[in-house]
Amino acid sequence: MRGFLLMRKNRNVWILLTGEFVAGFGLWLGIIGDLEFMQDKVSSDFLKSLILVAGIFAGMIAGPLAGKITDQYNKKTIMLYSGIARLISVAFMFIAIETGSVWWMIVFLIAINLSAAFYFPALQATLPLVVEKKDLLQLNGIHTNVSTLSRILGTAAAGIFLSVMSLWTLYLLAFISYVVLFILTCFLKVDEQKCKAQSIKEDAASNGQGFKEVFPLIKGQPLVLMTLVLTIVPILFIGGFNLIIIAISEIQNNPSVKAWLYAAEGISFMLGAFFVKRYGNKSPYATLLFFSTIIGISQLVLYFTNMPIITVVAFILFGFSVGTFFPTAATIFQTNVPSDFHGRFFSFRGMFDDFTYQIVLVATGLLLDIIGFQQMTVIFGVLSLLITGCFYMKFRNGDRENSLFEEAG
């Protein structure tokens, strides 16, 4: 109920969340379109992963510049220019469809990831500016639910649309979604100068705009560092998510299972985000470690992927855990990193995630070709549990744990 009051009273929150839904809907229309295009043109899972990596790599390279620009300039302006770049990028996919060229699709992936490299750090840096600190976890939970709902509806709609319309029309709908996002962003009003004046680190941006200043900041914040590294655990699953779902549908010889898995993961993701809004403030440290353990277990359970019920259960466990994990992680970052570093930090985080996604995506495609799906899930599951176990052992000392709780507060 409090979430609806937060939205009702805050015009900027409505704009950001509505924009997130519209953009997410268009994004997932495009992602399903990408997979459909590649499934027709590319046979190897490894080659598919390399194609997807090309765009992610471009976004990662742009990360340092995006972070500095986000801290130096108006965040709304950055989001608007990113929106224009996103619209232009869709034109390359139209060319790819008309020519049947995978190379033009790679150009599209590079262009749209470059626009995202600037857009998402600006968006993440804007969220703490539109609500009070005490409402930030609430907003992150709502933001996560909106993002997930757009993914569920976007993937479901894409599956339906592809059966009744052409791939070109599907991307046209994605293009229209991005136009709506651009218009909504124009109505955003945030007094960034006023927010900066309230920061205890107000002079950080003026004394040094170097991207490298993020590294000592992270090193000096144990909870931030731990959270950043722990994000590797869900990425081990998410990085090759679409390839994993395709592999499961082939193992079970059931194309319709894709929709069931997307729905199961998406709905449980939303439930996890609702859960964290009620209980997440109690112990972010314990929340992250507990649910990263559940993520590792869900990966191991996928060894029994030939059993459809077990597969759905694994995706429910994963979805709920990630829905709890990411809002908690986002709140830790937004509250423990000084506001004048938000642009550079979230850009660095985007680079870190992109780099990890590339490794995981390529590894997923390669392992699927070499050792198969079931053995791959065991490797990823064990690795997830090892990462979680290492942090638990490192911070199990009670005094150390209490210091982490204080930082989170």
Side-chain angles (χ1 to χ4, degrees):
M1 183 66 182
R2 184 181 171 189
F4 290 107
L5 292 175
L6 175 66
M7 293 174 63
R8 182 172 61 85
K9 295 178 180 179
N10 195 320
R11 176 171 171 268
N12 286 321
V13 170
W14 271 108
I15 293 172
L16 289 172
L17 294 181
T18 304
E20 173 68 27
F21 177 82
V22 173
F25 186 84
L27 174 67
W28 281 95
L29 288 180
I31 288 175
I32 299 302
D34 294 343
L35 295 176
E36 183 73 14
F37 186 82
M38 283 195 298
Q39 202 162 9
D40 183 52
K41 306 293 181 182
V42 183
S43 58
S44 168
D45 288 322
F46 180 58
L47 288 177
K48 290 174 186 173
S49 68
L50 290 180
I51 291 172
L52 293 173
V53 158
I56 298 173
F57 183 70
M60 187 185 71
I61 291 177
L65 177 62
K68 291 177 65 175
I69 289 177
T70 299
D71 283 333
Q72 291 175 343
Y73 298 99
N74 185 281
K75 295 166 182 57
K76 174 183 173 180
T77 302
I78 294 171
M79 287 190 282
L80 288 174
Y81 278 115
S82 299
I84 294 173
R86 188 185 288 113
L87 293 173
I88 295 173
S89 68
V90 180
F92 297 127
M93 195 61 210
F94 287 139
I95 298 174
I97 294 171
E98 291 298 322
T99 61
S101 171
V102 175
W103 290 107
W104 275 111
M105 179 188 177
I106 294 174
V107 175
F108 159 73
L109 290 172
I110 291 173
I112 202 162
N113 276 276
L114 285 174
S115 67
F118 287 85
Y119 180 83
F120 286 108
L123 175 63
Q124 286 292 325
T126 301
L127 291 178
L129 304 181
V130 300
V131 295
E132 297 180 12
K133 185 176 180 179
K134 63 182 178 64
D135 294 320
L136 195 52
L137 181 61
Q138 187 84 5
L139 178 58
N140 283 322
I142 298 172
H143 180 264
T144 301
N145 278 335
V146 170
S147 177
T148 305
L149 182 61
S150 69
R151 174 158 58 88
I152 295 172
L153 296 179
T155 52
I160 296 172
F161 291 161
L162 284 174
S163 64
V164 297
M165 65 178 61
S166 66
L167 195 59
W168 193 94
T169 307
L170 186 71
Y171 280 98
L172 178 61
L173 293 176
F175 181 85
I176 294 172
S177 297
Y178 296 146
V179 171
V180 174
L181 172 63
F182 181 84
I183 295 172
L184 287 171
T185 306
C186 291
F187 291 98
L188 189 65
K189 291 183 179 180
V190 180
D191 188 352
E192 295 186 31
Q193 295 304 317
K194 180 179 178 181
C195 295
K196 280 191 174 184
Q198 298 172 350
S199 173
I200 61 173
K201 301 284 188 180
E202 182 178 11
D203 60 342
S206 59
N207 289 340
Q209 292 292 343
F211 188 77
K212 65 181 181 180
E213 293 181 5
V214 172
F215 300 110
L217 173 70
I218 295 173
K219 187 177 179 181
Q221 296 276 1
L223 183 60
V224 172
L225 178 60
M226 183 197 77
T227 305
L228 191 64
V229 177
L230 272 179
T231 57
I232 294 174
V233 173
I235 289 176
L236 284 173
F237 200 125
I238 298 172
F241 194 78
N242 293 316
L243 293 179
I244 287 172
I245 287 183
I246 291 173
I248 291 173
S249 69
E250 291 174 350
I251 291 172
Q252 298 182 3
N253 194 27
N254 181 12
S256 65
V257 76
K258 296 176 186 175
W260 284 104
L261 295 180
Y262 275 121
E265 189 270 340
I267 293 171
S268 59
F269 191 106
M270 295 179 66
L271 293 175
F274 277 120
F275 173 85
V276 77
K277 286 190 294 181
R278 182 176 294 272
Y279 301 105
N281 282 317
K282 292 186 177 180
S283 171
Y285 165 79
T287 298
L288 290 178
L289 288 178
F290 177 77
F291 284 105
S292 62
T293 301
I294 300 300
I295 290 170
I297 293 173
S298 69
Q299 291 171 314
L300 292 176
V301 169
L302 281 177
Y303 180 82
F304 304 100
T305 192
N306 57 318
M307 303 171 63
I309 298 297
I310 298 297
T311 304
V312 173
V313 170
F315 272 75
I316 290 174
L317 286 174
F318 173 74
F320 187 88
S321 300
V322 175
T324 305
F325 185 100
F326 279 126
T328 303
T331 304
I332 289 172
F333 292 145
Q334 291 164 350
T335 55
N336 285 268
V337 176
S339 62
D340 288 320
F341 285 90
H342 275 178
R344 279 166 286 174
F345 174 79
F346 286 117
S347 182
F348 169 77
R349 187 203 169 186
M351 288 178 58
F352 180 82
D353 288 348
D354 286 347
F355 177 77
T356 311
Y357 270 109
Q358 290 182 78
I359 300 299
V360 172
L361 185 56
V362 172
T364 300
L366 188 61
L367 291 174
L368 284 172
D369 281 347
I370 294 177
I371 65 174
F373 177 82
Q374 292 173 305
Q375 289 74 17
M376 181 195 74
T377 60
V378 172
I379 292 174
F380 284 173
V382 171
L383 184 57
S384 296
L385 293 177
L386 284 175
I387 293 172
T388 305
C390 286
F391 276 107
Y392 173 76
M393 296 298 292
K394 183 176 178 63
F395 294 114
R396 66 178 177 173
N397 181 278
D399 293 335
R400 185 56 176 162
E401 185 176 328
N402 289 334
S403 69
L404 287 173
F405 292 155
E406 290 173 5
E407 290 181 53

